[in-house]
């Protein structure tokens, strides 16, 4: 049940980002939303730790601000994998990654879900 909630949170975050940010576009139904949530979740689970580890010197040098670039690059990866998602450029990807991070943080604070 917790996994399904995370998948739906990721998908809803993408749709919310598409509605609020003019450089991110979403077209798809509920099935595409679940697939998008799974793809974003898998990217965050598998790719993000490796990229974060490899970019550790840049993260230290920029005091963590390089995470914005990492999140933007991962959103562009999701854009490449999902036909229902379209991101207009790297700046919009960075803003979308920031929005998704804040969206997930807010939902975790509201529903009391811990990082595990």
């Amino acid at each position: 049940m917790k996994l399904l909630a995370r998948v739906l949170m990721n998908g809803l975050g993408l749709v919310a980002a598409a509605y609020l940010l003019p450089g991110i576009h979403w077209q798809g139904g509920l099935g595409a939303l679940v697939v998008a949530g799974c793809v974003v979740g898998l990217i965050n689970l598998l790719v993000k730790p490796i990229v974060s580890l490899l970019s550790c010197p840049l993260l230290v040098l920029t005091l963590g601000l390089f995470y914005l670039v990492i999140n933007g690059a991962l959103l562009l990866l999701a854009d490449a994998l999902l036909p229902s998602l379209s991101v207009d450029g790297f700046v919009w990807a960075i803003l979308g990654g920031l929005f998704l991070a804040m969206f997930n943080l807010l939902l975790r604070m509201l529903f009391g879900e811990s990082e595990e």
Side-chain angles (χ1 to χ4, degrees):
M1 192 64 171
K2 195 175 198 179
L3 179 65
L4 180 62
R6 284 191 181 208
V7 166
L8 289 177
M9 280 179 17
N10 285 328
L12 288 175
L14 279 176
V15 171
Y19 281 115
L20 294 175
L21 298 174
I24 299 177
H25 312 284
W26 172 264
Q27 57 245 2
L30 185 62
L33 180 73
V34 172
V35 170
C38 288
V39 168
V40 170
L42 283 174
I43 288 172
N44 284 334
L45 180 70
L46 300 174
V47 178
K48 189 173 185 176
I50 295 169
V51 172
S52 296
L53 181 67
L54 292 176
S55 63
C56 195
L58 285 172
L59 287 168
V60 171
L61 187 66
T62 63
L63 303 175
L65 288 176
F66 194 69
Y67 271 122
L68 295 174
V69 175
I70 291 172
N71 285 339
L74 295 179
L75 188 59
L76 284 176
L77 177 62
D79 174 32
L81 296 174
L82 295 168
S84 55
L85 177 67
S86 174
V87 180
D88 287 343
F90 193 66
V91 172
W92 287 112
I94 289 175
L95 292 174
L98 179 64
F99 177 83
L100 287 174
M102 293 296 118
F103 183 83
N104 283 328
L105 177 69
L106 178 67
L107 287 180
R108 285 189 181 123
M109 285 173 42
L110 288 175
F111 297 116
E113 186 177 335
S114 63
E115 283 287 326
E116 293 179 7

